[in-house]
Amino acid sequence: MSLLSRYLMRELSLFILFALIGLLGLYTFFDLIAELTDLGVGGYRLSDALIYVALRAPANAYELLPIAVLIGGIFGLSHLSGSSELTVIRASGVSLKRLLLWLCLIGAFYGVITLLLGEYIAPAGKRMANQHRLAATQSMLVGDFRSGVWIKDGKQIVNIGEMLPDLTVVNARIYEFGKTLTLDRVIEGHNGRFQSKGNWTLQKATITQFLPEHAGVVLTKPAVFNWQTSISPAMLAVLLVEPAQMSATSLLSYIDHLKRNKQKTSRYELALWGKLFYPLACLSMVLIALPFAQTQKRSSNAGVRVFIGIACGLVFHFANQIVVYLGDLYNWPPPIVVAIPTLLFLSAAGLMLWRQERR
Amino acid sequence: EKADREKQINIVAANCVMNQKTQASVCTKDVVLTQGTLSIRADKLTVRQDEAGNQYVAGNGGPVRFRQKMDGGNDWVDAEAQRFDYDGRTGILKLIDKAWVKRGEDQIHSDLITYDLNNEAYQAQSKPESGGRVNIVITPKKAPAP
Amino acid sequence: MPGTTRLLPLALVVLLGSLTWLLDRAASLPGSAVAINANQPDMLVDKATAVRFGEDGRPLSLLTATHVSHLPAGDITWLENPHLRYTAPDQPRLEVTGERAKSIKQGSEVWFPGVVKMVRSASATQAELTINGRDMRVLPQEGLASSEAPAIAVMGTYVIESVGFIADSKAETLELKSKVRMSYEPIRTR
Amino acid sequence: MLFRKSLIQEMSWVALGAFFVLLMLIMTTQIVRLLGQAAIGALASSAVWAMMGFAAVRYLPILLSLMLFFSILAVLTRLWKDHEMVIWFVSGRSIHNFIRPVLEFTLPVVILIALLSLVLSPWALEKGQEYKEKSLSRQEVTQVAPGVFRESPAADRVYFVENFSGGNGNNVFVQVRRDDKLTVILAEKGGLYLDSDGSRWLWLAKGKSYEGLPGTASYEMLEFENARLRIEAGENPRSSPSTQATSTMALWNSSLPEHKAELAWRLAIPISALILSLAAIPLAFFNPRGGRASNLLVAVFSYFFYYNCINIAQAWLSDGKVPAMLGMWPLHAAALLITLGLFAWRSKLRGH
């Protein structure tokens, strides 16, 4: 990293950091407002809300980093070109290609940060935040539906009412099917605890068994029932977080589970591919910043160019999200769906740069 | 006729209640029981059958009217009474209150007449306290025409 | 052109006004779907076999029909070609077959209009009772079957015709309402 | 009065730009949240755009206030940076002369913010919630996607269809909860459809249904060739409007601490916007020789600090820690004092 590229890096990073703090401030502010409505629920105090919002910051950062890189990049570069340092750098023999390379390096650096954030820090932060909030409000972790979490596992369809922060489950009901669409058993357990791989124990269980050919219904109420299932607490935890915030590893294991149970995986596959391409977004943001920043200081529309640059970046980020949703809705192949917007923007940025250079 | 007892019993009535536990049927209003040549008309009739197939019939009416063909010959027995009780096992028919039996030309009136279907003999008693009269009219049998 | 100094408030007001108007229009959805009128069926089933299990888990009633339709108003279920088999521990098995049936109060009372055949199986103390009649009303839990129409009952050697009857499995009685014609062969033991 | 016109004009352009960027920003994150909900069927996909509109109206007051603060700050900083500020001072202008144009620029927007925060936002929240419930109950027909569990709006029905072929699902699983009875239906084929008069039906072919009270043996099992179940529109109970959705008038009349706190919060937005806009003037002081963007950082920090104080004050008010009568006035008074202090400090600095 030559002196010049290090200087460029430091300069841009300052602006990117500045943009990130501004944006993060805005988002934590919105999160706090959302939390205020829950104050007082089960002893949820203001300090708990502040901790919860602070723990969610990494997740927000993960979502905002590309935009911050864009805004920081544009401001940084236009600041450099404004003080004509950029022209000095170009004049001192740095070809466009080398400049682009440095920018790519910077973009890649932030891409790696995004990857780290998305893979470890954000999910952990989110989980701790949820756990803290649950402990504070003594409420339970419930899945997407009011009827709790639903999982299909082989010959069983399982409904978990609630999951406590200590990963034990409450109000579990398991429908066990026979061969031709017949219900063999309904197992209900007041609470269940994970024992070892493949089995849980349910306390205060009730088993309703349907004998074949309408012969009768047998009811047994064992105090403890050993429930054989491939469902693991990790899988339950996964279900309680939106796909976008799951780490790639947990996404991979869950997709594998879904495939084994002939369940639709597109929503989670899209999230997985999205996560892989997301760091690339930082790279493209930096490259998009360059064409917009290369202006003369005095030209009247300097502000307008900056504004357009930011707008384009936002449109890109917006498009990224919409495409993922449409992909899920119309079952487009995930890799392509996720790649299109990024590639489109990279080529647009390249085109602008090329046009600018030629002039 | 003795043979009646083997015959099918038919009951016609306005209303009947059969109780399977006691194998008894209670019929009321315009009840007509027929078995072979025997026919009984009563307002209320209770019929019971025991495992051996003996019929126990009781009932009342205003009055109850009996009619049965005698064995051998075409003489008929008619009888009436306010109440009656027939015990199939013993074959004894008791006619109670204002009972009269008319067989061929003979007639008998009494408070209580016991008629034994086996030997077609009847016996009349009056109720002592009521000073009832027993009035028997025997008409000699005309010798059968030569 | 109004003074450019008024540019910002003007732009914002226009934006705000249009956004609110748009939202109001978009949000004025017609009420939720057509109100459910209660006398329209809310369940239709073809070739149905319904088995109800008792508290002890043993099958209590089995009802088959070629077509079943349920009306929310009055919670009435109509069945075509119904066959009811009721097997309660405290009474002999009851089987009723008819052209149509109307079941109300969750099946505790079933009305069989038209031609009906009822068979109450024999028990220790009572012979098998078969009644062919019309417009029969059955209350399975109470073991009661009754009708006001003419019917022919056969029980053991008894053959009974009447207009209207009440058969009570639990009390083991059979009341014949009117126009009774009963005949039976005395049991021959000799 | 070229000075006043040019200043306001530039601020207006920057404000519009900033407004668009902030709005786009909010929309991006809102869209992610709403699309997530639509994906799991908690929100009708047709309602996503309208719900975004409602979310926009809800966040607008804060956006506008941020826009004002940012645009004044940006323009004044530029003036300092381009040394134009010095020219104005030389020609006899002092820092106080900026107050009139800034006020002229800010007041109409502050009024707009007040209108939004006191009237429109609560309306948007309430209408949004109502619209969401209505659109959800109408949307159940298209909800059963293959391989995914779906719950009906009133949460009394859960569907799972193994895979789709030709528009109807194979291996259908439905759980229906009505009063305390639970019914499970399994069928080889199934699907949802609308009949002629618009009511919604779930049809199932070759299946079995098990209905009973959980934990008892008295079940009723139904085997069928095919069955059609009409699905009532989920008339879920009208959720009581959260304090944020209750109208300002209702808040005014009610004596509940939460309502007083919400009212104080709604008033705080326009007031803080005004105070912050004024504070932006001294905060924009930029010493070209001194620290580079340090004053911007201070400004941003003070903005968020003030706003978070408002939030915390609201929390205390609703807890009753702070008497409702007092409200947030002391906070605003303190902010105003700091602003005046800043003006005094700046002009003194300039005056030596």
Side-chain angles (χ1 to χ4, degrees):
Chain A
M1 277 278 276
S2 67
L3 178 67
L4 208 52
S5 61
R6 260 210 313 282
Y7 168 72
L8 195 65
M9 170 75 159
R10 203 164 31 64
E11 196 62 27
L12 285 191
S13 302
L14 187 68
F15 279 89
I16 291 175
L17 198 65
F18 178 60
L20 188 62
I21 290 167
L23 291 171
L24 258 183
L26 186 66
Y27 271 71
T28 25
F29 175 62
F30 285 137
D31 281 352
L32 195 57
I33 295 179
E35 285 309 303
L36 285 183
T37 50
D38 296 341
L39 279 188
V41 165
Y44 187 54
R45 287 187 325 284
L46 184 62
S47 52
D48 302 319
L50 290 177
I51 295 167
Y52 173 74
V53 165
L55 285 172
R56 268 170 62 92
N60 285 340
Y62 174 71
E63 227 173 283
L64 293 169
L65 199 54
I67 303 176
V69 164
L70 169 77
I71 296 175
I74 290 183
F75 271 106
L77 287 172
S78 60
H79 175 69
L80 287 175
S81 75
S83 55
S84 58
E85 281 167 286
L86 207 58
T87 32
V88 161
I89 296 172
R90 290 299 304 282
S92 66
V94 171
S95 71
L96 180 66
K97 260 196 286 316
R98 233 143 73 71
L99 182 61
L100 275 180
L101 181 64
W102 289 345
L103 287 177
C104 285
L105 271 173
I106 297 170
F109 169 68
Y110 282 102
V112 165
I113 292 179
T114 323
L115 198 67
L116 287 174
L117 256 177
E119 201 47 30
Y120 305 106
I121 305 162
K126 192 95 170 41
R127 210 177 5 262
M128 274 197 292
N130 282 343
Q131 240 142 24
H132 176 76
R133 188 168 192 288
L134 284 172
T137 58
Q138 283 103 29
S139 63
M140 312 266 186
L141 222 61
V142 180
D144 313 337
F145 302 143
R146 268 175 277 170
S147 58
V149 176
W150 285 86
I151 307 162
K152 183 170 186 300
D153 175 34
K155 280 280 173 232
Q156 289 179 349
I157 282 194
V158 179
N159 174 222
I160 304 271
E162 276 112 14
M163 197 169 92
L164 297 178
D166 60 5
L167 294 186
T168 59
V169 293
V170 174
N171 292 340
R173 174 169 302 115
I174 301 134
Y175 293 110
E176 217 173 62
F177 300 106
K179 31 179 178 23
T180 55
L181 278 174
T182 52
L183 185 59
D184 276 5
R185 273 194 320 183
V186 180
I187 303 154
E188 282 154 324
H190 181 61
N191 44 48
R193 181 176 295 280
F194 179 72
Q195 288 308 337
S196 63
K197 187 160 184 358
N199 59 59
W200 297 60
T201 48
L202 298 179
Q203 270 86 28
K204 292 215 274 303
T206 317
I207 300 170
T208 317
Q209 189 162 8
F210 296 97
L211 304 178
E213 306 315 324
H214 323 312
V217 176
V218 174
L219 200 65
T220 49
K221 296 196 184 227
V224 176
F225 174 75
N226 185 351
W227 167 31
Q228 313 284 355
T229 173
S230 67
I231 296 173
S232 65
M235 193 185 299
L236 284 180
V238 157
L239 282 174
L240 302 171
V241 174
E242 296 97 46
Q245 272 139 12
M246 286 189 216
S247 67
T249 37
S250 44
L251 268 173
L252 263 176
S253 66
Y254 187 56
I255 289 172
D256 166 46
H257 166 76
L258 289 177
K259 277 214 175 65
R260 276 207 316 279
N261 285 286
K262 293 202 281 298
Q263 276 185 277
K264 189 177 174 195
T265 59
S266 64
R267 181 170 168 225
Y268 296 96
E269 266 172 36
L270 277 165
L272 182 65
W273 284 101
K275 280 191 109 57
L276 300 180
F277 271 89
Y278 198 54
L280 212 59
C282 290
L283 199 67
S284 44
M285 288 295 182
V286 172
L287 294 180
I288 293 166
L290 188 56
F292 286 103
Q294 280 195 328
T295 61
Q296 291 66 28
K297 194 162 86 68
R298 271 282 155 262
S299 65
S300 65
N301 54 14
V304 170
R305 287 188 75 88
V306 164
F307 163 66
I308 293 172
I310 296 174
C312 287
L314 281 174
V315 165
F316 162 71
H317 195 60
F318 194 80
N320 237 338
Q321 310 299 342
I322 303 274
V323 155
V324 168
Y325 170 65
L326 296 178
D328 181 25
L329 207 60
Y330 300 109
N331 296 334
W332 297 336
I336 300 165
V337 163
V338 171
I340 299 169
T342 315
L343 297 179
L344 211 67
F345 257 73
L346 276 179
S347 46
L351 191 67
M352 281 185 70
L353 266 178
W354 181 71
R355 201 162 56 74
Q356 229 169 35
E357 272 314 291
R358 213 165 42 66
R359 203 158 33 84
Chain B
E1 285 165 355
K2 249 192 237 38
D4 287 346
R5 225 178 286 167
E6 303 307 320
K7 296 263 178 25
Q8 187 190 52
I9 300 164
N10 298 312
I11 303 171
V12 172
N15 176 292
C16 285
V17 175
M18 296 179 65
N19 183 324
Q20 287 199 277
K21 236 187 254 130
T22 56
Q23 285 292 327
S25 307
V26 175
C27 292
T28 49
K29 230 155 117 346
D30 313 332
V31 185
V32 175
L33 184 145
T34 50
Q35 185 178 29
T37 63
L38 165 69
S39 79
I40 309 172
R41 289 177 191 291
D43 289 348
K44 181 173 183 251
L45 195 75
T46 309
V47 182
R48 195 169 56 78
Q49 181 174 229
D50 64 12
E51 297 74 32
N54 302 317
Q55 307 297 322
Y56 302 87
V57 190
N60 52 40
V64 180
R65 283 200 305 285
F66 293 86
R67 187 166 166 67
Q68 188 175 34
K69 196 163 173 302
M70 303 292 289
D71 276 340
N74 46 26
D75 280 354
W76 287 86
V77 173
D78 281 291
E80 278 189 11
Q82 291 301 324
R83 283 188 300 111
F84 77 98
D85 191 333
Y86 167 67
D87 178 339
R89 194 170 46 76
T90 57
I92 303 296
L93 169 66
K94 284 200 191 79
L95 299 165
I96 308 142
D97 289 351
K98 301 197 189 71
W100 65 261
V101 173
K102 176 170 162 307
R103 191 171 64 175
E105 298 311 321
D106 310 344
Q107 269 199 3
I108 175 164
H109 290 271
S110 163
D111 287 339
L112 168 64
I113 300 172
T114 318
Y115 180 73
D116 183 342
L117 272 75
N118 301 331
N119 48 32
E120 289 176 350
Y122 50 80
Q123 192 190 8
Q125 287 109 8
S126 71
K127 270 190 280 192
E129 68 286 0
S130 72
R133 282 180 302 100
V134 174
N135 170 356
I136 302 172
V137 172
I138 311 284
T139 48
K141 278 203 177 60
K142 285 192 232 28
Chain C
M1 225 275 273
T4 49
T5 57
R6 284 293 158 269
L7 170 71
L8 180 71
L10 203 62
L12 287 178
V13 165
V14 162
L15 173 92
L16 207 56
S18 53
L19 190 62
T20 324
W21 178 72
L22 243 166
L23 285 180
D24 196 48
R25 205 167 54 77
S28 57
L29 260 169
S32 62
V34 63
I36 307 297
N37 46 25
N39 33 43
Q40 280 287 349
D42 69 353
M43 185 183 84
L44 299 158
V45 181
D46 297 326
K47 290 197 188 59
T49 312
V51 181
R52 178 172 294 154
F53 296 97
E55 286 302 329
D56 55 8
R58 290 223 311 281
L60 192 63
S61 76
L62 178 119
L63 186 64
T64 58
T66 55
H67 180 69
V68 176
S69 76
H70 174 262
L71 296 176
D75 187 14
I76 295 160
T77 310
W78 277 99
L79 306 110
E80 303 296 329
N81 308 322
H83 169 71
L84 165 70
R85 170 148 42 92
Y86 194 77
T87 50
D90 59 352
Q91 52 175 303
R93 194 177 62 174
L94 186 71
E95 301 224 21
V96 185
T97 319
E99 294 162 356
R100 286 198 326 283
K102 166 178 164 189
S103 154
I104 52 176
K105 301 201 204 73
Q106 282 84 36
S108 58
E109 183 180 333
V110 189
W111 160 251
F112 290 83
V115 173
V116 194
K117 178 176 187 227
M118 182 199 106
V119 176
R120 189 179 61 206
S121 60
S123 75
T125 52
Q126 52 179 328
E128 181 183 80
L129 165 67
T130 308
I131 301 180
N132 285 296
R134 297 180 54 76
D135 311 337
M136 202 184 290
R137 188 160 154 269
V138 177
L139 291 102
Q141 268 108 349
E142 286 85 30
L144 281 174
S146 64
S147 160
E148 301 307 320
I152 299 168
V154 171
M155 186 161 61
T157 59
Y158 287 76
V159 174
I160 308 141
E161 290 169 41
S162 75
V163 172
F165 71 88
I166 300 175
D168 181 335
S169 304
K170 290 200 173 142
E172 298 190 33
T173 60
L174 172 62
E175 181 186 349
L176 305 142
K177 287 280 186 59
S178 64
K179 296 191 176 58
V180 182
R181 295 177 56 75
M182 180 190 304
S183 64
Y184 61 93
E185 295 295 331
I187 301 171
R188 287 179 180 53
T189 52
R190 277 183 290 287
Chain D
M1 274 307 288
L2 180 59
F3 166 74
R4 193 174 56 72
K5 252 163 74 63
S6 72
L7 194 61
I8 293 176
Q9 194 180 4
E10 191 176 347
M11 284 197 275
S12 303
W13 276 110
V14 171
L16 266 180
F19 176 72
F20 178 78
V21 166
L22 286 170
L23 192 64
M24 272 295 280
L25 206 58
I26 295 294
M27 286 308 103
T28 319
T29 42
Q30 283 299 327
I31 191 77
V32 170
R33 197 172 54 78
L34 291 172
L35 292 180
Q37 281 181 358
I40 50 157
L43 174 70
S45 45
S46 60
V48 167
W49 304 109
M51 285 310 288
M52 238 175 41
F54 285 120
V57 176
R58 211 153 66 81
Y59 283 114
L60 268 180
I62 302 156
L63 281 193
L64 291 177
S65 129
L66 191 57
M67 169 197 79
L68 277 181
F69 182 71
F70 177 76
S71 50
I72 298 166
L73 205 65
V75 168
L76 291 183
T77 319
R78 193 190 65 71
L79 287 182
W80 274 103
K81 201 149 63 64
D82 302 344
H83 309 297
E84 285 180 39
M85 194 61 94
V86 175
I87 302 157
W88 291 119
F89 282 151
V90 160
S91 63
R93 289 277 181 281
S94 84
I95 198 163
H96 301 286
N97 297 86
F98 284 90
I99 296 174
R100 240 175 62 72
V102 162
L103 274 181
E104 201 184 324
F105 165 71
T106 317
L107 275 179
V109 178
V110 164
I111 293 160
L112 206 59
I113 294 175
L115 171 74
L116 255 169
S117 154
L118 292 171
V119 175
L120 272 177
S121 293
W123 169 79
L125 250 171
E126 209 265 329
K127 205 92 161 90
Q129 187 53 28
E130 183 196 311
Y131 173 75
K132 180 176 176 186
E133 276 162 21
K134 264 198 281 190
S135 65
L136 250 182
S137 62
R138 291 164 52 79
Q139 198 245 356
E140 192 160 336
V141 179
T142 55
Q143 231 187 357
V144 186
V148 179
F149 283 97
R150 273 286 152 70
E151 186 183 58
S152 68
D156 52 356
R157 277 182 302 280
V158 175
Y159 307 93
F160 177 75
V161 173
E162 194 135 281
N163 45 44
F164 247 74
S165 65
N168 27 41
N170 303 62
N171 288 356
V172 179
F173 165 88
V174 186
Q175 178 194 287
V176 182
R177 180 185 293 277
R178 186 172 300 152
D179 314 330
D180 47 10
K181 275 238 170 42
L182 201 62
T183 311
V184 177
I185 310 172
L186 310 165
E188 271 176 25
K189 283 201 172 27
L192 290 157
Y193 72 94
L194 270 171
D195 70 5
S196 51
D197 60 6
S199 43
R200 281 192 302 281
W201 292 81
L202 164 69
W203 69 273
L204 300 156
K206 289 193 194 58
K208 291 190 181 69
S209 106
Y210 302 77
E211 174 177 330
L213 289 170
T216 68
S218 56
Y219 263 76
E220 179 166 344
M221 226 204 73
L222 172 72
E223 231 173 294
F224 52 82
E225 187 59 27
N226 56 55
R228 277 166 288 152
L229 288 158
R230 186 167 53 184
I231 306 165
E232 283 83 18
E235 49 302 28
N236 25 43
R238 285 276 308 126
S239 53
S240 66
S242 64
T243 40
Q244 287 186 340
T246 37
S247 73
T248 304
M249 280 321 294
L251 292 180
W252 181 259
N253 308 339
S254 115
S255 60
L256 274 171
E258 293 86 25
H259 287 182
K260 282 291 171 237
E262 177 64 18
L263 184 61
W265 190 79
R266 290 184 191 173
L267 284 171
I269 306 287
I271 295 166
S272 60
L274 188 61
I275 295 173
L276 281 167
S277 310
L278 290 175
I281 305 169
L283 279 172
F285 170 74
F286 174 78
N287 172 348
R289 284 177 306 285
R292 194 168 300 290
S294 56
N295 76 322
L296 280 181
L297 217 58
V298 165
V300 168
F301 177 75
S302 52
Y303 179 89
F304 283 119
F305 178 72
Y306 187 11
Y307 254 98
N308 283 333
C309 287
I310 292 174
N311 282 334
I312 293 164
Q314 185 199 11
W316 284 343
L317 270 169
S318 64
D319 278 357
K321 285 205 189 73
V322 169
M325 279 318 294
L326 211 55
M328 295 189 185
W329 301 115
L331 182 60
H332 299 313
L336 201 58
L337 274 176
I338 296 168
T339 315
L340 296 179
L342 278 171
F343 267 100
W345 182 48
R346 274 288 173 274
S347 57
K348 194 166 60 52
L349 198 70
R350 176 69 201 78
H352 66 71

